Amino acid sequence: MADARGRVELDDVDRGILRELTADSRMSMRVLADRVHISRAHAYTRVERLVSAGVVEQFTVRVDPTAAGLATSAFIALSIRQDSWRSVAAELKTMSFVDHFSLLGGDFDVLVLVRTPDNETLRHVVLEGLQSLDGVRSTRTWLIFDEARGGLHG
């Protein structure tokens, strides 16, 4: 059930389902049910509820960027004109090598995760792509040396 703000209250079974599906969204309902200790029918019902409530947005694939030829990754912080978020976001959605971006509160306005084949391509994305966007005032780049995923559903 959703609370007054439209958020769904998750119990331990829901969190277990999300943890298992995050690790492997291709697993069968039988395997999922076994792993979270519920019946297969109950697993179907719970997953359908999570999907219809918008908790699960989609079932997808997680790509290893290095194995896919994208060995250079960086976070690029953008300072933008305050009236340009929508236009900058629209451009970022279509820009090659942009993996993810977020609007921030703090010293920078936007944080962009970029994954490229090499440093030369990264330089091109930053200097000729991001810095040329209308509304971008400045950028700051942090090269990623190593990364790992956390336990979102813990």
Side-chain angles (χ1 to χ4, degrees):
M1 290 297 217
D3 67 12
R5 292 185 230 167
R7 294 180 303 196
V8 175
E9 293 184 36
L10 303 178
D11 62 15
D12 289 341
V13 172
D14 292 326
R15 284 187 287 280
I17 289 170
L18 293 173
R19 183 176 46 253
E20 294 298 331
L21 290 177
T22 299
D24 180 7
S25 65
R26 291 178 17 151
M27 75 174 54
S28 70
M29 283 295 163
R30 182 186 56 76
V31 170
L32 176 62
D34 288 346
R35 289 192 180 169
V36 296
H37 311 292
I38 60 176
S39 72
R40 190 170 65 177
H42 195 157
Y44 274 109
T45 302
R46 289 288 188 118
V47 169
E48 179 55 38
R49 183 180 67 85
L50 292 168
V51 170
S52 64
V55 174
V56 174
E57 294 178 326
Q58 64 180 337
F59 295 88
T60 186
V61 173
R62 184 181 314 152
V63 175
D64 179 321
T66 303
L70 301 171
T72 301
S73 296
F75 286 111
I76 297 100
L78 310 178
S79 289
I80 63 173
R81 281 192 336 262
Q82 293 306 304
D83 65 345
S84 65
W85 164 244
R86 284 186 176 86
S87 63
V88 169
E91 291 291 330
L92 290 172
K93 285 179 183 177
T94 64
M95 188 175 285
S96 296
F97 304 112
V98 170
D99 185 315
H100 176 88
F101 60 92
S102 299
L103 179 65
L104 305 175
D107 293 339
F108 294 96
D109 303 307
V110 180
L111 187 63
V112 183
L113 173 58
V114 174
R115 300 187 187 278
T116 64
D118 50 44
N119 285 347
E120 182 179 345
T121 307
L122 175 62
R123 183 173 82 54
H124 175 78
V125 168
V126 173
L127 298 179
E128 298 174 30
L130 295 172
Q131 289 183 358
S132 70
L133 293 177
D134 185 41
V136 172
R137 296 189 313 202
S138 66
T139 65
R140 183 166 181 186
T141 301
W142 293 275
L143 194 60
I144 298 171
F145 293 130
D146 196 9
E147 60 187 311
R149 292 193 175 268
L152 178 63
H153 302 290

